[in-house]
């Protein structure tokens, strides 16, 4: 772990499984309460100086981004071995993390004059908050950590970061690396089980919690933050709909739809998780998606040419297996895939489910894996109602040849990002967040940066 700029081990460790084999392949440190206190104290003490010099912070974030990119070949295999994603995707993730750090290194901090007259000069400025407790999930450990590190540190905060117990190693390695370019205590990285997350959110030191993970845990985090009125950003689960309009060309959109649903083996908060198709186009769309699923190469992420690795962990593998089996038992048809791959590891066949509708668990719940239900609809109003008829509201997409009409439908989606003829198009400057149970606040862009600040009014009488 990295505490106060120094690498430290813990008295106890826990096993980290390689999902391609199902075997423990490494041990990670289990941070105890005393060590968490030390990490929080280190962050609080670093804050007193880190907050003062914006130019130094920008320089350090650039150096951090450059370092990550330079060390991509070192970090990527660590990520693949614990997360499962193909080495090339892991490399892209590390480079993406570096891009995020460098984007924020140059992002301007807003300072607005709202009154300037004979009576007063009134400015709205932004102040850092203090120590941020950051907690991340296992699907994109590095890039999602940098969605937090980059804006939080630029704003002048310091951080204690905890990765998921399924994927601690790449984040711990990143913490070790970044200690070369960040002052001691600015970024502390600790690892442990879920309980460590609870200790962090209840800890008296942090003023802000930035959490990415499931809805169920997000609610616990919010409850834990409430007694101390800690500020919160929650990036939670999604059940993104893609609505195809009747002027769509199935052959033309199938590759993009498939990529939007199966990127990272479907383990993306804002992946397409259900597809709504006009009845007339239903069979051609199912068949086009199924052709992509059948052609996909699944295997150990360290092997050449692999497109999809295993599902990351046993509980998630069991959950995807259960949701697919439930759909099939209730009359769905597997147009492609439909079952786990024989052999060791948590591999599951890329699956397209037809003959399935709202009410089936795989349509109503977040599957977070390589299985996609395709649902037929009769009218656009009905499709929108079904798309919106959920507690989730992360993102969604509308697909059609008449893009103005598609954009009108997109505006009726109740979600944080509504894409037209694309899905999963994200960038560091574009805010990202969820409606309803999919989140509180946003990450990325100026809006994400502001989430790591307190608003302060400077009112000078004249
Ligand atoms: P999870 O909620 O199980 O765990 C997320 C993190 O929270 C882990 O680090 C875990 O150790 C920690 N944690 C667990 N219990 C805690 C507690 N009581 N207090 C504090 N921390 C605790 O989620 P997961 O299974 O790792 O990730 C998958 C979920 O994350 C999916 O629902 C996915 O949609 C969501 N996700 C959302 C986004 C987004 O930006 N909206 C991005 C990626 C993933």
């Amino acid at each position: 772990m990295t505490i106060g700029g120094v690498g430290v081990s813990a008295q106890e460790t826990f096993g980290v499984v390689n999902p391609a084999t199902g075997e423990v392949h490494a041990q990670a440190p289990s941070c105890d309460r005393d060590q968490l206190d030390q990490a929080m104290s280190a962050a609080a003490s670093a804050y007193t100086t880190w907050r003062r010099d914006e130019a130094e912070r920008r320089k350090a974030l650039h150096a951090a981004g450059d370092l990550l990119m330079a060390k991509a070949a070192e970090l990527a295999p660590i990520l693949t071995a614990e997360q499962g994603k193909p080495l090339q995707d892991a490399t892209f993730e590390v480079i993406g993390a570096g891009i995020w750090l460098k984007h924020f290194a140059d992002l301007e901090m807003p300072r607005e004059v709202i009154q300037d007259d004979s009576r007063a000069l009134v400015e709205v400025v932004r102040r850092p908050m203090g120590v941020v407790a950051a907690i991340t999930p296992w699907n994109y450990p590095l890039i999602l950590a940098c969605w937090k590190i980059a804006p939080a540190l630029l704003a002048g905060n310091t951080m204690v970061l905890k990765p998921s117990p399924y994927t601690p190693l790449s984040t711990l390695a990143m913490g070790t690396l970044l200690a070369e370019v960040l002052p001691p205590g600015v970024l502390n990285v600790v690892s442990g089980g879920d309980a460590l997350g609870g200790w962090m959110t209840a800890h008296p030191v942090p003023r802000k919690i930035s959490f990415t993970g499931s809805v169920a845990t997000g609610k616990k985090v919010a409850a834990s933050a409430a007694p101390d009125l800690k500020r919160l950003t929650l990036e939670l689960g999604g059940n993104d709909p893609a609505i195809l309009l009747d002027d769509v060309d199935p052959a033309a959109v199938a590759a993009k739809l498939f990529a939007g649903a199966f990127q990272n083996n479907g383990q993306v908060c804002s992946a397409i998780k259900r597809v709504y198709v006009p009845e007339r186009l239903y069979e051609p769309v199912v068949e086009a998606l199924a052709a992509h699923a059948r052609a996909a190469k699944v295997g150990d992420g360290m092997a050449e040419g692999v497109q999809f690795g295993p599902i990351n962990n046993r509980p998630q593998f069991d959950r995807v297996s259960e949701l697919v089996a439930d759909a099939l038992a209730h009359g769905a048809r597997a147009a492609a895939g439909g079952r786990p791959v024989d052999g060791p590891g948590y591999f599951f066949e890329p699956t397209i489910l037809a003959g399935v509708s709202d009410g089936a668990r795989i349509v109503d719940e977040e599957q977070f894996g390589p299985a996609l239900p395709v649902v037929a609809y009769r009218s656009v109003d009905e499709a929108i109602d079904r798309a919106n008829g959920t507690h989730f509201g992360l993102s969604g997409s509308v697909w059609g040849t008449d893009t103005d009409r598609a954009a009108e439908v997109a505006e009726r989606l109740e979600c944080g990002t509504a894409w037209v003829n694309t899905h999963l198009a994200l960038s560091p400057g574009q805010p990202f967040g969820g409606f309803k149970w999919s989140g509180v606040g946003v990450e990325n862009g100026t809006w994400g940066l502001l989430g790591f600040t307190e608003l302060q009014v400077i009112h000078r009488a004249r």
Side-chain angles (χ1 to χ4, degrees), residues 135-140 144 147 162-166 192-199 201 211-218 220-221 234-238 268-270 273 313 316 366 368 394 432 438 443:
I135 300 174
T136 50
W138 45 259
N139 58 339
Y140 285 96
L144 293 178
W147 285 22
K162 185 200 88 69
S164 163
Y166 293 112
D194 291 346
L196 176 60
W199 300 345
T201 58
F211 172 85
T212 303
S214 61
V215 170
T217 309
K220 287 187 201 159
V221 168
L234 301 176
E235 291 287 1
L236 308 179
V268 186
C269 50
S270 53
K273 299 205 171 105
N313 57 74
Q316 188 59 26
E366 183 185 31
F368 212 65
L394 194 54
F432 179 75
S438 287
E443 292 193 297

Side-chain angles (χ1 to χ4, degrees), residues 228-357:
D228 191 29
L229 297 179
K230 289 185 173 74
R231 308 305 190 249
L232 269 183
T233 301
L234 301 176
E235 291 287 1
L236 308 179
N239 191 10
D240 285 15
I243 300 177
L244 274 56
L245 299 180
D246 54 9
D247 64 348
V248 88
D249 174 356
V253 298
K256 281 190 185 173
L257 275 178
F258 183 76
F262 286 81
Q263 180 175 313
N264 208 38
N265 219 8
Q267 302 164 120
V268 186
C269 50
S270 53
I272 297 172
K273 299 205 171 105
R274 46 199 173 122
V275 181
Y276 289 92
V277 185
E279 278 181 337
R280 187 174 64 78
L281 296 173
Y282 189 74
E283 282 310 324
V285 168
V286 166
E287 195 33 54
L289 288 170
H292 283 282
R294 284 187 222 111
K297 183 154 186 238
V298 178
D300 186 328
M302 292 306 286
E304 272 295 309
V306 161
Q307 210 176 336
F308 302 122
I311 292 174
N312 173 255
N313 57 74
R314 181 89 221 187
Q316 188 59 26
F317 172 81
D318 289 344
R319 178 170 165 76
V320 172
S321 306
E322 181 187 315
L323 290 181
V324 170
D326 172 78
L328 294 174
H330 287 88
R333 170 173 67 89
R339 45 186 202 91
V341 175
D342 289 337
Y346 310 138
F347 294 99
F348 200 90
E349 297 174 348
T351 296
I352 303 294
L353 292 172
V356 61
S357 192

